[in-house]
Amino acid sequence: MLLFNTLTKRIDDFIPNKPGRATMYSCGPTVYDHIHIGNLRAFISADILRRCLISEGLEVKQVMNFTDVDDKTIDRSQRSYPEDAPETALKTMTLKYEQIFLEDMKAIGNDTDAMQFVKATESIPDIQKLIRKLYKSKFAYIADDGVYFSIKKYRDSGKKYGQLLELNQDNTNESRINNDEYDKESVHDFVLWKLQKNSEPAWEFELDGHKLMGRPGWHIECSAMSAANLGQPFDIHTGGIDLIFPHHENEIAQSTAATNMLYANFFVHNEHLLVHGRKMSKSLNNVFTLIDIQEKKIDPMAFRILSMQAHYRSTLNFSWDNLEAAANRLKTFCAMADLQWQANAISSDQPPYKVIGETLKEHAQNDMNTPEILADISKLAKILETGGVSLVGLIDFKELLKTIDSLLGLTLCKQPDISDFQKKIISDRQEARNQKNWLTTDNIRKELIAQGINIRDTVNGQIWNRM
């Protein structure tokens, strides 16, 4: 499989560390609020990548983290549950948004059962172990407010800080960043462990005789959790392009400094999602979540289609018109899938379903080319719109639907058949058509529409689909 690797800045042939098995780490959500649709795009991209790897015959282990302790989670939990103890407030709030996140993931077609989720708060021993390694090898130092990673020491050791992108700014030890997120143009020492402030949640930590009651910084969490669950180096690290710096660059620095080993073989980043051509911003009132989509009575799976219509390395523009168009495309695919229940003996000249399936897999293996996959499916749906599926091609057609579902995370194979009663109504309508009883024909059509079933009259007879 070909993949663009941010580390090498080119499309490389993906070869896993172990034959037949691939390991993935995906930066997950900070669980303090509903995630916005820009985050959703990143999670869809990671889900598609896992599916494409599986289509190559690989067994895939995908780990995703929950950032359940950082500046944002602590602040929100204390404001949401001011009467609770800090640890209780944090756990209550993060559990709430973890569940909301998992529900959102399922709604957009991501297979959460195929993933392993890990929490920062349950990984404190691994985090502290990694910090001890960094301190022992002098890449970390203790300051008055916590433990920091020294970029100067890292560079002096011969390692490059700026492997994912070129960084030209000078760095000094005196410049330190205590926040979990900071100016993306700055190159400064970053915090590994933050000493407890006020009544923040905190964990005991002793380092070189210093008692450092506190909690981890953001970057060290992912380095520790990925290595603990996948080993080092693992195969693929995924995330949005906004995470390249500082987050992923800092992960590389920490992990390579501690082990003198490569951190991950591939970094796969998806591009930004824009809203009506502009970056999402609260000041522009254009930050949307899945709730906003559902409130407009749009199937969340339409957003999955919209995400796949642009290549993951291309900017995606979200607008309500674009989402509506994606919803219509989804309806077209579902209408095509309904053909599996109404094969006829007339349409003997069938498309080459097996060839189409192999072509879709080739698109998937070519740097996850989902736009080409969708284009080919749309062409097929247009061909079958009037001719339907014949009994001769039915088995191959169903296999093609399975291929589409496995690659894209759709559920076309699971489209159920209509009831026997509804089939009888359709048969009665055909009889009325044969007798040119147009009033009865129209009345039956209206009855079917009321039941959510649309009827198309074709040269090969009636074809139904759900509305």
Side-chain angles (χ1 to χ4, degrees):
M1 179 174 178
L2 297 176
L3 273 178
F4 184 85
N5 187 356
T6 311
L7 196 60
T8 62
K9 301 170 183 61
R10 64 173 182 256
I11 293 178
D12 292 330
D13 189 10
F14 172 70
I15 301 174
N17 286 321
K18 295 182 179 179
R21 186 172 185 270
T23 50
M24 284 177 61
Y25 183 82
S26 300
C27 278
T30 301
V31 281
Y32 75 105
D33 204 343
H34 294 266
I35 57 173
H36 59 65
I37 57 177
N39 296 139
L40 288 179
R41 186 195 186 189
F43 301 134
I44 289 172
S45 295
D47 185 75
I48 295 295
L49 175 54
R50 187 191 66 252
R51 293 172 183 277
C52 291
L53 293 170
I54 291 173
S55 75
E56 283 266 270
L58 296 171
E59 177 187 345
V60 182
K61 180 178 181 180
Q62 182 184 9
V63 173
M64 179 177 286
N65 72 293
F66 287 131
T67 298
D68 60 346
V69 57
D70 75 333
D71 292 343
K72 291 179 179 177
T73 53
I74 292 172
D75 177 67
R76 180 66 62 87
S77 66
Q78 293 186 343
R79 287 191 287 114
S80 300
Y81 305 98
E83 303 301 320
D84 291 350
E87 292 78 8
T88 303
L90 182 68
K91 186 172 183 178
T92 300
M93 189 208 66
T94 54
L95 282 174
K96 170 186 174 181
Y97 286 108
E98 284 169 21
Q99 188 57 44
I100 291 173
F101 169 76
L102 292 174
E103 291 170 359
D104 284 356
M105 289 277 277
K106 292 175 183 177
I108 58 174
N110 284 357
D111 187 359
T112 56
D113 292 334
M115 304 166 66
Q116 176 184 338
F117 294 94
V118 294
K119 301 181 183 183
T121 56
E122 295 177 356
S123 305
I124 299 298
D126 293 321
I127 294 168
Q128 293 178 341
K129 181 180 178 181
L130 180 53
I131 294 173
R132 287 191 179 97
K133 283 185 178 180
L134 291 169
Y135 182 78
K136 184 177 181 181
S137 54
K138 303 189 185 306
F139 288 107
Y141 60 92
I142 299 173
D144 56 357
D145 59 349
V147 183
Y148 288 83
F149 184 87
S150 171
I151 294 174
K152 184 178 185 302
K153 291 285 188 182
Y154 184 71
R155 285 173 165 166
D156 289 348
S157 72
K159 294 179 171 61
K160 181 181 179 181
Y161 186 71
Q163 295 187 37
L164 298 176
L165 78 172
E166 290 298 325
L167 297 172
N168 299 315
Q169 297 84 355
D170 292 330
N171 175 74
T172 62
N173 282 346
E174 288 75 23
S175 298
R176 298 199 302 264
I177 298 295
N178 184 266
N179 295 329
D180 288 318
E181 295 185 82
Y182 54 90
D183 182 358
K184 294 181 183 297
E185 300 301 319
S186 299
V187 180
H188 293 305
D189 291 357
F190 52 89
V191 66
L192 302 173
W193 187 264
K194 305 176 73 169
L195 295 188
Q196 185 181 29
K197 297 177 185 176
N198 302 322
S199 57
E200 288 184 345
W203 289 260
E204 293 182 354
F205 183 33
E206 185 170 330
L207 183 63
D208 195 20
H210 297 268
K211 295 188 180 299
L212 306 172
M213 191 73 174
R215 53 92 172 175
W218 175 36
H219 311 299
I220 196 71
E221 294 176 353
C222 282
S223 282
M225 288 186 284
S226 58
N229 290 280
L230 297 174
Q232 187 178 326
F234 55 92
D235 290 311
I236 302 173
H237 197 317
T238 74
I241 197 170
D242 57 305
L243 295 179
I244 290 178
F245 185 81
H247 187 48
H248 289 172
E249 193 64 51
N250 288 351
E251 285 183 58
I252 290 174
Q254 297 163 154
S255 299
T256 57
T259 63
N260 206 30
M261 295 171 59
L262 185 69
Y263 178 43
N265 295 323
F266 275 72
F267 278 81
V268 178
H269 293 100
N270 63 278
E271 258 287 356
H272 289 295
L273 179 143
L274 303 179
V275 175
H276 298 284
R278 308 176 74 177
K279 285 189 176 182
M280 281 189 290
S281 168
K282 290 183 179 179
S283 63
L284 295 175
N285 195 31
N286 67 350
V287 179
F288 297 119
T289 68
L290 199 61
I291 293 175
D292 298 303
I293 291 174
Q294 292 168 321
E295 285 180 347
K296 288 184 176 289
K297 308 300 181 184
I298 299 175
D299 188 337
M301 289 296 286
F303 181 76
R304 187 179 188 87
I305 295 291
L306 178 62
S307 296
M308 294 188 291
Q309 287 179 173
H311 191 272
Y312 78 95
R313 288 194 288 115
S314 298
T315 301
L316 172 66
N317 186 46
F318 174 89
S319 71
W320 293 111
D321 288 342
N322 288 348
L323 185 62
E324 190 63 43
N328 289 333
R329 194 174 202 176
L330 176 62
K331 291 174 184 176
T332 298
F333 291 174
C334 291
M336 180 185 71
D338 283 333
L339 295 174
Q340 65 185 298
W341 301 111
Q342 44 193 323
N344 60 64
I346 301 172
S347 304
S348 57
D349 185 17
Q350 292 287 279
Y353 298 118
K354 289 183 179 180
V355 174
I356 294 171
E358 289 305 311
T359 301
L360 299 186
K361 290 180 182 179
E362 289 173 7
H363 292 324
Q365 292 155 13
N366 184 20
D367 198 25
M368 293 194 289
N369 196 338
T370 54
E372 286 297 324
I373 296 176
L374 294 179
D376 284 355
I377 298 172
S378 293
K379 290 176 186 176
L380 176 63
K382 186 67 177 177
I383 292 171
L384 297 177
E385 189 175 28
T386 56
V389 175
S390 74
L391 290 169
V392 173
L394 182 58
I395 293 177
D396 289 344
F397 176 70
K398 287 185 174 182
E399 285 301 311
L400 177 57
L401 292 182
K402 289 180 182 178
T403 298
I404 294 171
D405 285 352
S406 64
L407 288 176
L408 302 185
L410 304 180
T411 55
L412 302 182
C413 285
K414 296 180 180 179
Q415 293 277 107
D417 196 359
I418 57 175
S419 68
D420 290 339
F421 175 70
Q422 290 167 328
K423 291 178 183 178
K424 176 65 167 58
I425 295 175
I426 292 173
S427 177
D428 291 343
R429 182 177 181 276
Q430 184 60 53
E431 183 63 28
R433 277 179 57 79
N434 294 340
Q435 297 176 8
K436 298 184 179 181
N437 187 343
W438 307 124
L439 179 61
T440 299
T441 299
D442 288 343
N443 287 337
I444 293 177
R445 178 191 291 276
K446 292 175 183 177
E447 182 181 349
L448 289 167
I449 288 174
Q451 296 180 36
I453 298 173
N454 182 51
I455 285 287
R456 304 193 309 276
D457 295 309
T458 75
V459 293
N460 291 325
Q462 299 178 109
I463 293 179
W464 60 263
N465 65 274
R466 290 176 182 79
M467 297 174 63

